[in-house]
């Protein structure tokens, strides 16, 4: 039946299809160019927001650039996850008593296969890294 993403029964892995290129996202490192990449990805670390095309919802940098903290806490499996789109904030996994949070989307440091928004990483919520960022959300009145 296909993988369900963004409310669709089947959708491509990346904004531009089943593969991703340097003209679509900031990811990984190249062995050439003194660390700089070819094409649109010309930054050693993170790129300025909006350097690549937005998705259908007007969101930029959904692949690569920085891994984004999300509101959900980490669970090893999706069993028991909310089905209404709400953040999963109960029964969080812990590491030495500290809550593990979810990061999504990969970063300028990760390989292309890990730059999908469906890929998730876990980290202690107050961990700082040049690879981590967050996305501000503004809820609009209907």
């Amino acid at each position: 039946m296909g993988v369900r993403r963004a409310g669709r029964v089947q959708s491509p892995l990346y904004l531009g299809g089943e593969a991703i290129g340097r003209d679509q996202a900031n990811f990984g490192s190249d062995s050439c160019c003194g660390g700089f990449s070819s094409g649109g990805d010309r930054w050693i670390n993170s790129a300025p927001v909006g350097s690549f095309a937005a998705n259908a919802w007007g969101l930029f940098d959904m692949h690569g650039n920085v891994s984004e903290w999300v509101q959900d806490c980490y669970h090893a499996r999706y069993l028991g996850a909310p089905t209404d789109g709400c953040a999963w904030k109960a029964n969080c996994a812990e590491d030495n008593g500290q809550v593990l949070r979810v990061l999504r989307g990969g970063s300028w440091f990760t390989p292309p296969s890990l730059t999908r928004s469906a890929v998730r990483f876990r980290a202690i919520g107050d961990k700082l890294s040049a690879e981590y960022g967050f996305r501000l959300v503004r809820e609009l009145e209907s």
Side-chain angles (χ1 to χ4, degrees), residues 20-61:
I20 194 162
R22 300 248 180 229
D23 58 335
Q24 300 167 310
N26 180 15
F27 60 82
S29 61
D30 284 341
S31 57
C32 75
C33 319
F36 285 94
S37 300
S38 57
D41 180 7
R42 58 186 181 274
W43 295 274
I44 294 175
N45 297 319
S46 62
V49 172
S51 296
F52 301 94
N55 68 11
W57 295 273
L59 298 172
F60 292 89
D61 306 316

Side-chain angles (χ1 to χ4, degrees), residues 14 18 54 71 74 76 135-136 141:
Y14 301 98
E18 296 302 315
Q71 190 174 7
Y74 181 78
R135 184 174 299 276
L136 294 175
E141 294 180 30

Side-chain angles (χ1 to χ4, degrees), residues 30-109:
D30 284 341
S31 57
C32 75
C33 319
F36 285 94
S37 300
S38 57
D41 180 7
R42 58 186 181 274
W43 295 274
I44 294 175
N45 297 319
S46 62
V49 172
S51 296
F52 301 94
N55 68 11
W57 295 273
L59 298 172
F60 292 89
D61 306 316
M62 293 301 293
H63 305 300
N65 211 30
V66 293
S67 295
E68 296 177 341
W69 289 108
V70 296
Q71 190 174 7
D72 302 81
C73 56
Y74 181 78
H75 296 82
R77 295 179 188 80
Y78 286 107
L79 186 64
T83 57
D84 62 359
C86 289
W88 197 359
K89 300 186 278 185
N91 304 315
C92 304
E94 294 185 3
D95 182 9
N96 291 323
Q98 294 191 310
V99 172
L100 293 172
R101 294 288 190 193
V102 175
L103 291 149
R104 290 194 179 269
S107 75
W108 53 267
F109 188 75

